[in-house]
Amino acid sequence: MGIPVNIPLLSGNELEYIKNCIETGWISSEGPNIKEFEDNFSSYIGVEHGIAVSNGTAALDVAIAALEIGPGDEVILPTFTIISPILQVIRSGATPVLVDSNPITWNMDVDQVINKINSKTKAIIAVHIYGLPVDLDPLVKICKERGIFLIEDAAEMHGQTYNGQMVGSFGDIATFSFYPNKHITTGEGGMVLTNNQKFAERCRKLRNLAFEPDKPRFVHYELGWNYRMTNLQAALGLAQLEKIDFHISRKREIGNLYQEGLKEIEGFQLPLDKTDYAENIYWIFGLIAETKELKDQTIELLNKNAIGTRPFFWCMHEQPVFQKMGLFKGENYPVAENMSRCGFYLPSGLGITYSEINLVLDILK
Ligand SMILES: Cc1ncc(COP(=O)(O)O)c(C=O)c1O
């Protein structure tokens, strides 16, 4: 059957909590699990308000809309990211401003972010990539000084810390994903976290078709979405959250086994295991080959042996959809381009077994 790129771990109270939804009939977003999951996850991260939504992309959409980002505003974010954080920036009419990546941490280059700030900069989206957080201190400082919003896309960072404080608690607003390849999953799902009551209320409204809590039902004053999470999804989330510490240590164990097994391999850059502010949480275990040919050959070898793999993200400035819109013409970001062309990742899901990891290592060696 091979080794899939991701197998989730559903080894706790998932079935019991889902069964309870069926038995009580609470299956929509009206059920009691939603608030409990919001409260439990937000207090785990150390943030006051949690707003559960249908996925991590939806969380970014409502977070960006809640900050009232729009035409005339600039938003700085990395070119090396999944497409999710840029979508609502573009749809809102704001201008996305891209930066390159740091070649060692694979996160956005903070010096470039600071150089691109100007009077139109309304927000910075710190997209934490693959397992290590963005270097947050300088961003928090400059955002405070200049009155700029800091948005943390922490979709891949549940339980990761920056200098001992939870990632997702630094920004004005932060977003998480609970897709099955995340440290905890709800099948599909996401959450917005914020300490700002006004932003929290706006997010709650925007995820629910922009119904006005204090006005007549079915009368709308702005455009919203139906991005609601269901009680069934939140049931999964509650059970997963009970096991989050184990999931994080298991991810680190998987990452360390790959690090140890591959430390003598030639021709590939391995992920950094730690910086002075964080230890890698290994959302995925990525490798960057020295050449595109080596990457292609390695992927072919893994495919031939039915071992799941995925290429790294493809840069935003090279996306056909944005080129068609006339965006990012003539822009180059060499570090991120190299990562996109030569990077790929190994099966890294929580459900992988020791013998499967050894098999991947044997084939790579
Ligand atoms: C950094 C980042 N942001 C956003 C998302 C989108 O999350 P979702 O797939 O839940 O929409 C992902 C998904 O993996 C991600 O890695």
Side-chain angles (χ1 to χ4, degrees):
M1 202 198 106
I3 305 176
V5 75
N6 177 62
I7 306 173
L9 192 60
L10 305 163
S11 60
N13 289 320
E14 288 82 359
L15 198 56
E16 188 191 327
Y17 295 171
I18 294 272
K19 193 162 161 267
N20 184 262
C21 297
I22 309 289
E23 283 170 357
T24 58
W26 284 117
I27 54 170
S28 77
S29 62
E30 294 284 313
N33 293 340
I34 314 279
K35 174 139 189 350
E36 197 181 340
F37 183 45
E38 289 175 339
D39 288 350
N40 292 3
F41 188 68
S42 57
S43 54
Y44 173 76
I45 301 294
V47 174
E48 212 170 320
H49 308 280
I51 301 97
V53 291
S54 46
N55 55 68
T57 307
L60 282 156
D61 287 352
V62 297
I64 291 163
L67 300 181
E68 295 180 4
I69 288 166
D73 297 330
E74 292 187 3
V75 178
I76 304 176
L77 75 166
T79 188
F80 186 82
T81 170
I82 193 167
I83 199 167
S84 306
I86 205 172
L87 292 173
Q88 176 60 17
V89 175
I90 291 175
R91 289 194 179 114
S92 75
T95 304
V97 175
L98 301 178
V99 294
D100 207 348
S101 306
N102 174 306
I104 311 294
T105 65
W106 304 347
N107 272 302
M108 68 203 292
D109 181 325
V110 170
D111 291 335
Q112 287 191 23
V113 175
I114 290 169
N115 284 334
K116 291 202 171 178
I117 291 175
N118 64 42
S119 58
K120 293 190 192 146
T121 309
K122 175 105 177 223
I124 294 168
I125 308 182
V127 184
H128 304 293
I129 297 287
Y130 291 165
L132 282 172
V134 172
D135 189 5
L136 286 162
D137 274 350
L139 293 185
V140 170
K141 182 165 177 282
I142 198 140
C143 283
K144 273 212 182 98
E145 280 167 12
R146 305 284 296 261
I148 295 166
F149 291 131
L150 180 60
I151 303 170
E152 282 184 81
D153 180 352
E156 309 171 358
M157 291 291 138
H158 318 65
Q160 176 58 295
T161 55
Y162 175 91
N163 285 333
Q165 184 185 327
M166 283 283 179
V167 170
S169 67
F170 288 83
D172 296 280
I173 204 158
T175 60
F176 284 84
S177 162
F178 304 117
Y179 190 72
N181 60 7
K182 301 305 188 299
H183 296 84
I184 59 165
T185 184
T186 58
E188 296 280 351
M191 202 179 291
V192 184
L193 297 185
T194 180
N195 285 317
N196 181 308
Q197 168 127 13
K198 188 180 123 216
F199 298 155
E201 279 164 17
R202 279 193 53 70
C203 288
R204 282 187 206 290
K205 191 171 94 171
L206 289 166
R207 81 167 164 189
N208 189 23
L209 296 173
F211 279 115
E212 299 281 341
D214 309 321
K215 300 233 165 64
R217 188 93 174 157
F218 302 115
V219 180
H220 299 265
Y221 296 81
E222 68 177 310
L223 300 178
W225 294 271
N226 177 352
Y227 279 164
R228 300 185 297 255
M229 178 181 271
T230 69
N231 202 56
L232 288 157
Q233 289 166 296
L236 271 181
L238 284 169
Q240 290 267 298
L241 193 52
E242 291 167 354
K243 300 232 126 174
I244 192 163
D245 292 339
F246 170 64
H247 285 196
I248 291 165
S249 62
R250 176 80 185 125
K251 274 285 195 185
R252 287 206 166 110
E253 185 188 19
I254 296 166
N256 290 334
L257 288 169
Y258 277 137
Q259 289 280 18
E260 183 58 29
L262 294 172
K263 67 178 184 223
E264 266 148 34
I265 199 169
E266 280 174 24
F268 296 90
Q269 180 189 348
L270 303 184
L272 194 63
D273 62 339
K274 59 173 183 263
T275 63
D276 52 3
Y277 49 77
E279 247 179 76
N280 206 320
I281 201 171
Y282 298 109
W283 172 53
I284 51 97
F285 193 91
L287 296 159
I288 302 180
E290 259 168 22
T291 62
K292 182 172 178 315
E293 292 67 42
L294 180 59
K295 177 194 102 171
D296 291 343
Q297 282 165 14
T298 313
I299 287 188
E300 203 181 302
L301 175 75
L302 292 168
N303 285 342
K304 217 167 63 197
N305 287 280
I307 292 173
T309 173
R310 290 275 186 285
F312 270 15
F313 297 141
W314 194 249
C315 292
M316 292 306 105
H317 67 286
E318 297 198 304
Q319 294 289 347
V321 59
F322 299 142
Q323 285 171 348
K324 250 187 347 205
M325 296 165 82
L327 289 168
F328 315 127
K329 255 195 219 138
E331 295 186 23
N332 293 104
Y333 302 96
V335 175
E337 285 162 23
N338 182 59
M339 285 161 59
S340 294
R341 286 172 191 36
C342 299
F344 63 100
Y345 63 87
L346 302 176
S348 317
L350 283 158
I352 196 167
T353 63
Y354 293 112
S355 61
E356 286 172 333
I357 293 173
N358 285 334
L359 186 66
V360 176
L361 288 171
D362 286 347
I363 284 164
L364 280 175
K365 282 178 195 161

